[in-house]
Structures are given as structure tokens and as C-alpha cells.
Amino acid sequence: MATELEQPWKPLTAILIYAAVTFLLSVVTNKFPRTRRYLYGSPTILMDQGKLYRENLKKAKLDLEEFLVMCRQQGYFDLTSIQTAIFEFNGRLTILPVSTQRPVTPSDMELSPEQELLFTELIMDGRILESNLKHMGLDLTWLDKQLKQRGIHSAQDVFLAVCDKNQRLVIYKNDHNRRHTN
């Protein structure tokens, strides 16, 4: 549109048609989920139980080198550590590692760790966020007491202070971002 000064309606029409088709495809795929497979494609298994499928690589329009690059990008340099590799319709590779190669989880070790909680910002750039403080059920007196316990005289000395629902306060001071936790 920037270069077509004499007839700007031509590129404008093309943009409007493109927008309409995109919107129409979005509506169709939302109303009729089965059409997604025909419009966008379906996931393709490229490797399963140590076997590479050459035909599926061709169907996905990938050569072996591209497949290896995608594996390395996800941290799999050894193909024997991959149980299944699926090429998704959006162009990404999803990998299921061999069970002996996957990271250990707490449930594997029969542990029950406490659920981590989200932190809420209470001070940012030296300014107290009173609405967040109230949302957490805290007040300025509590915050002032916490700051004094850590030898901080003013909120202006704090770069960032965050707190979780258990009132665990983490403070990053303005001077070289030293961190204090409770």
C-alpha cells in the first residue's frame, strides 16, 4: 500500500480479502472441529520405539538432517533416548523420552512436596502497591515491620518486593539487587 500511490484500493482490497478468508477459516474450524485436520493437517509420528519412519518424514516435508536439528534443539542428541517423536501440525516436534531417560519427579520418589504459590508484587521501583497489599490481606503496618526487620528504612530503598500467600516476603534492594527472604 505504501508504494501503490495511484491505485491504493488494489492492495487494500487484497488485505480485506485476506482478512475475511482468515476470519472465515477461524469460524469454520471452531464450529466444525473435524475440518481442522483437512485445513491444518494432523500430527505425524516420525519415530516410535527406535524406528524412524521415512514415509512420514516425507509426508511432513522434513529431511533427516532437519529432524536431527529439531531433536537437538530440544536437548536430544542421542536418538536412543527418544521413545516417540511427533511432528505437530503447527510445525513443532513433540518428543516423549524413553522412561529411563526422563527427569525424576517427586511422585517417582514417593514424595509430596508443598505446592508452590504465586508471588504478588508489593513494592516496585520504590513504590508500594497498596491494592496488591490489600488483595493479600496485608496492610502498610505489616509491610513496614517487615522492612524494618531487614534493616530497610523506606520502601524507596526497595527495587522489588514480592510476597506469597504464606506471607513469605522476598525483597530485592536497590543497591546491586541484593536479595532478602523470609
Side-chain angles (χ1 to χ4, degrees):
M1 280 181 64
T3 60
E4 185 63 52
L5 299 176
E6 292 182 20
Q7 296 177 331
W9 59 271
K10 285 183 180 179
L12 181 62
T13 302
I15 289 172
L16 291 175
I17 290 172
Y18 178 76
V21 169
T22 303
F23 178 74
L24 181 65
L25 286 175
S26 174
V27 169
V28 168
T29 57
N30 282 335
K31 286 204 180 265
F32 308 103
R34 289 184 182 177
T35 61
R36 288 182 194 146
R37 184 173 12 152
Y38 301 108
L39 293 173
Y40 300 123
S42 60
T44 305
I45 296 176
L46 302 179
M47 181 179 176
D48 192 30
Q49 296 180 1
K51 183 176 182 201
L52 279 167
Y53 296 106
R54 183 183 303 262
E55 288 301 314
N56 288 354
L57 283 166
K58 285 181 184 176
K59 189 190 306 183
K61 296 180 179 61
L62 289 174
D63 65 14
L64 193 54
E65 187 60 34
E66 289 173 311
F67 172 70
L68 293 173
V69 167
M70 293 173 90
C71 290
R72 287 192 301 265
Q73 286 174 335
Q74 292 200 26
Y76 293 93
F77 292 84
D78 180 6
L79 293 182
T80 61
S81 62
I82 298 174
Q83 171 70 31
T84 305
I86 302 171
F87 188 68
E88 305 291 352
F89 67 88
N90 64 0
R92 293 191 177 190
L93 187 67
T94 302
I95 293 178
L96 174 67
V98 174
S99 61
T100 57
Q101 297 292 322
R102 66 181 171 83
V104 177
T105 63
S107 62
D108 291 338
M109 299 179 70
E110 297 180 8
L111 298 174
S112 299
E114 280 188 38
Q115 177 65 45
E116 293 179 359
L117 303 172
L118 293 175
F119 280 89
T120 301
E121 299 84 8
L122 299 182
I123 301 174
M124 291 180 76
D125 288 327
R127 286 176 288 179
I128 297 173
L129 305 173
E130 291 189 44
S131 61
N132 288 358
L133 201 59
K134 287 179 186 174
H135 178 73
M136 295 289 295
L138 304 170
D139 58 15
L140 290 171
T141 307
W142 177 87
L143 183 60
D144 190 49
K145 180 180 173 187
Q146 297 297 317
L147 293 175
K148 298 266 189 274
Q149 285 178 354
R150 292 168 176 81
I152 300 171
H153 303 291
S154 168
Q156 293 175 346
D157 297 332
V158 176
F159 181 61
L160 175 67
V162 293
C163 184
D164 68 7
K165 292 280 185 191
N166 292 333
Q167 295 185 0
R168 188 170 71 105
L169 184 66
V170 180
I171 298 173
Y172 297 89
K173 293 174 68 173
N174 274 331
D175 56 355
H176 308 296
N177 286 343
R178 282 191 288 158
R179 182 176 70 159
H180 296 278
T181 61
N182 181 16

